[in-house]
Amino acid sequence: MAGSSPEIRMGELEPIDRRSTAAIVADRIRAAIMRGTFPPGTQLGEVDLAARLGVSRGPLREAMQRLVAEGLLRSERHRGLFVRDLDAADVRDVYTARTAVERAAALLLLAEPDRGPAVARLTAAITAMEAAAAAGDTVALADADHDFHAELVAASGSPRLHRMSRTLLVETRMCLAALQQTAPPSEDLLAEHRTLRDALATGDGVLMTRVLEAHMADAVSRILDVAPPPALPA
Amino acid sequence: MAGSSPEIRMGELEPIDRRSTAAIVADRIRAAIMRGTFPPGTQLGEVDLAARLGVSRGPLREAMQRLVAEGLLRSERHRGLFVRDLDAADVRDVYTARTAVERAAALLLLAEPDRGPAVARLTAAITAMEAAAAAGDTVALADADHDFHAELVAASGSPRLHRMSRTLLVETRMCLAALQQTAPPSEDLLAEHRTLRDALATGDGVLMTRVLEAHMADAVSRILDVAPPPALPA
DNA sequence: GCCGGGCAAGTTGTCGACAATCGTACAAGT
DNA sequence: ACTTGTACGATTGTCGACAACTTGCCCGGC
């Protein structure tokens, strides 16, 4: 799979109109939701969106159905499409699902002999987080956090875990944007990510899973800003 | 949610067209794929399907996009939609993802105080499996197996895990249908499911996860052993 | 003053038709 | 005989328009 023809560089000669219009539109809307352009609960008018994106209502509706299938949009018949608003139960659910997916990805990664590239990518994400934290740029910090976990799952090489993770990370961003965390304790956040990377590098699976679960539980309590419910039994 | 008004029976007065046409069509196609009506690799013509389902191409395309998002269909521009064919790597990936999801569901369930209803449902599925095994009905056995794992995840109460599980179980059925397992060692299969139920009933999390992982690994080797060469029957 | 019926506006759901594209088969040239 | 060019058939991608539904408001009646 990797490096079949050394003379052909990545994405140089293979594709021209690789993806369908619906997929492109879906990516746009997904990014907009993640970015917070469409806050939870807002109605997405079809004609308006279609005109804004320069496509007709047909492809746009196809893209919408895709997002509905992912759980990002809520469809009410003859009423319209709305961005799903997440309550406390949803926040917990997102993070339990993320824990499941990222734990599995970490285990896959730990079973691999050469974890060098993965560690390098995670380190790059951590570096970006450090820079963002130093600059006080909360959105860049969230971006880097996002990248860290996305890279972790992507490096596992599992297409299904990757697909699940993408949606879950978007929902994570929705949680963060909706609840507007004001002052994230970025030092703890950085330390947790560094520990995750180090555990992966050294191959300490027990530490990895434990820190990962704690990391998720921390995030939930941080978002909900309530007393963390009794943690999962070890 | 359960038993709000005792006078209203389930699905008697509330809904008439609760779900969108695209969702219904998507369910139909998904069931057909799962059932094996559309073997992997077959092309799904839009006009033919639309006429057969009594809808226009619009709603049908929306449903297709939904299934593409789930990874059950593969879309090639200006070529058509094809049922995804799963190779050995996909089989392993499906089961790693399933392991992740069902392990998380089991842990959620173990954290719940009252596991009685869940155990009862799993027992019902096991009973169905026993009956199917006794009758030598392999398809009913696969149905019951499907139900067991679906109930396990559904009982966890996590909508996201549930949604992921649904797609993964369909893909599992695709693996089974494609490779046509001839004589499943149903006794081992039953024993494994009984152990899972008992571990859930007694609250033995360590046993539960261990047996679950072994169960998945067994299934993978069982499927791949039938057809060791992943060579496509070209 | 309150309730029920009816009207109007705006939205989504659905359909049919046109245009663009790809695969295949056949013919011509080298 | 192999390659190249071309025409055809079939399918998908896209668009615009009509129909159905829901919602909110206004008005008449009790």
Side-chain angles (χ1 to χ4, degrees):
Chain A
M1 302 245 211
S4 55
S5 295
E7 297 178 1
I8 296 180
R9 285 178 187 79
M10 251 187 65
E12 178 151 346
L13 205 53
E14 290 298 326
I16 38 183
D17 65 343
R18 55 196 200 272
R19 282 136 43 91
S20 67
T21 309
I24 299 173
V25 172
D27 283 346
R28 287 281 188 87
I29 309 283
R30 192 183 300 116
I33 291 174
M34 186 182 75
R35 188 182 161 185
T37 308
F38 298 131
T42 45
Q43 181 171 4
L44 274 54
E46 294 184 357
V47 286
D48 184 35
L49 272 181
R52 194 171 307 197
L53 290 169
V55 295
S56 183
R57 279 182 56 207
L60 184 122
R61 281 178 63 84
E62 296 171 15
M64 291 312 205
Q65 289 295 330
R66 204 178 268 227
L67 296 177
V68 169
E70 294 180 13
L72 265 56
L73 262 47
R74 170 174 50 93
S75 164
E76 295 186 17
R77 251 181 97 93
H78 295 106
R79 289 275 313 244
L81 292 157
F82 303 85
V83 181
R84 278 209 52 182
D85 40 2
L86 308 173
D87 57 5
D90 283 313
V91 173
R92 292 193 198 92
D93 195 43
V94 166
Y95 276 92
T96 54
R98 275 190 60 186
T99 306
V101 170
E102 299 195 18
R103 197 196 91 104
L107 259 57
L108 276 178
L109 217 42
L110 285 168
E112 218 162 308
D114 181 20
R115 297 188 293 278
V119 172
R121 293 191 171 194
L122 295 185
T123 302
I126 290 176
T127 305
M129 288 182 72
E130 290 166 346
D137 189 346
T138 58
V139 54
L141 183 68
D143 280 337
D145 191 336
H146 183 112
D147 287 344
F148 180 92
H149 293 277
E151 291 288 357
L152 174 66
V153 179
S156 73
S158 166
R160 281 159 190 83
L161 291 180
H162 187 59
R163 172 151 29 91
M164 296 170 182
S165 170
R166 189 184 53 168
T167 301
L168 291 172
L169 285 176
V170 174
E171 290 183 296
T172 301
R173 294 297 286 268
M174 289 173 66
C175 299
L176 297 179
L179 299 174
Q180 281 290 11
Q181 63 171 2
T182 52
S186 51
E187 196 44 56
D188 293 352
L189 203 69
L190 278 169
E192 285 177 358
H193 284 91
R194 287 197 200 97
T195 309
L196 284 174
R197 179 203 53 189
D198 296 341
L200 179 65
T202 60
D204 190 342
V206 178
L207 176 64
M208 180 100 194
T209 56
R210 195 171 50 198
V211 174
L212 192 59
E213 287 167 8
H215 181 55
M216 295 296 175
D218 280 359
V220 171
S221 58
R222 211 171 291 165
I223 291 175
L224 294 182
D225 197 33
V226 294
L232 298 174
Chain B
M1 300 236 271
S4 55
S5 296
E7 297 178 1
I8 296 180
R9 286 177 187 79
M10 249 187 66
E12 178 152 343
L13 205 52
E14 289 298 324
I16 38 180
D17 63 346
R18 58 186 200 276
R19 284 139 40 91
S20 68
T21 309
I24 300 173
V25 172
D27 283 347
R28 287 279 190 88
I29 309 282
R30 191 183 301 119
I33 292 174
M34 186 182 74
R35 188 182 161 185
T37 308
F38 299 131
T42 44
Q43 181 171 4
L44 300 173
E46 294 184 357
V47 286
D48 183 35
L49 272 182
R52 193 171 308 197
L53 290 170
V55 296
S56 183
R57 280 182 56 208
L60 185 123
R61 280 178 64 84
E62 296 172 14
M64 290 311 206
Q65 290 295 329
R66 203 178 267 227
L67 297 176
V68 168
E70 294 180 14
L72 266 54
L73 262 48
R74 170 175 48 94
S75 164
E76 295 185 17
R77 253 182 95 92
H78 297 289
R79 288 278 311 248
L81 292 158
F82 303 87
V83 181
R84 277 208 54 182
D85 39 3
L86 309 173
D87 58 4
D90 284 312
V91 173
R92 292 194 198 91
D93 195 44
V94 166
Y95 276 92
T96 54
R98 276 191 61 186
T99 306
V101 170
E102 300 196 17
R103 197 195 92 102
L107 258 57
L108 276 178
L109 217 41
L110 285 167
E112 218 160 306
D114 180 21
R115 297 188 294 278
V119 172
R121 293 191 172 195
L122 295 185
T123 303
I126 291 176
T127 305
M129 288 182 72
E130 290 167 347
D137 189 346
T138 57
V139 53
L141 184 67
D143 280 336
D145 190 337
H146 183 111
D147 287 343
F148 179 93
H149 293 277
E151 290 288 357
L152 174 66
V153 179
S156 73
S158 166
R160 281 158 190 83
L161 291 180
H162 186 59
R163 171 151 31 89
M164 296 170 182
S165 169
R166 189 184 54 168
T167 302
L168 292 172
L169 286 177
V170 174
E171 290 183 296
T172 301
R173 295 296 287 270
M174 290 173 65
C175 299
L176 297 178
L179 298 175
Q180 280 290 10
Q181 63 172 0
T182 52
S186 51
E187 196 43 55
D188 292 352
L189 202 69
L190 277 169
E192 286 177 358
H193 284 90
R194 286 197 202 95
T195 310
L196 283 175
R197 179 204 51 187
D198 296 341
L200 179 66
T202 60
D204 190 341
V206 178
L207 177 63
M208 179 100 196
T209 56
R210 194 171 53 197
V211 174
L212 192 60
E213 288 167 8
H215 181 56
M216 295 296 176
D218 281 359
V220 171
S221 59
R222 212 171 289 164
I223 292 175
L224 293 183
D225 281 351
V226 176
L232 299 174

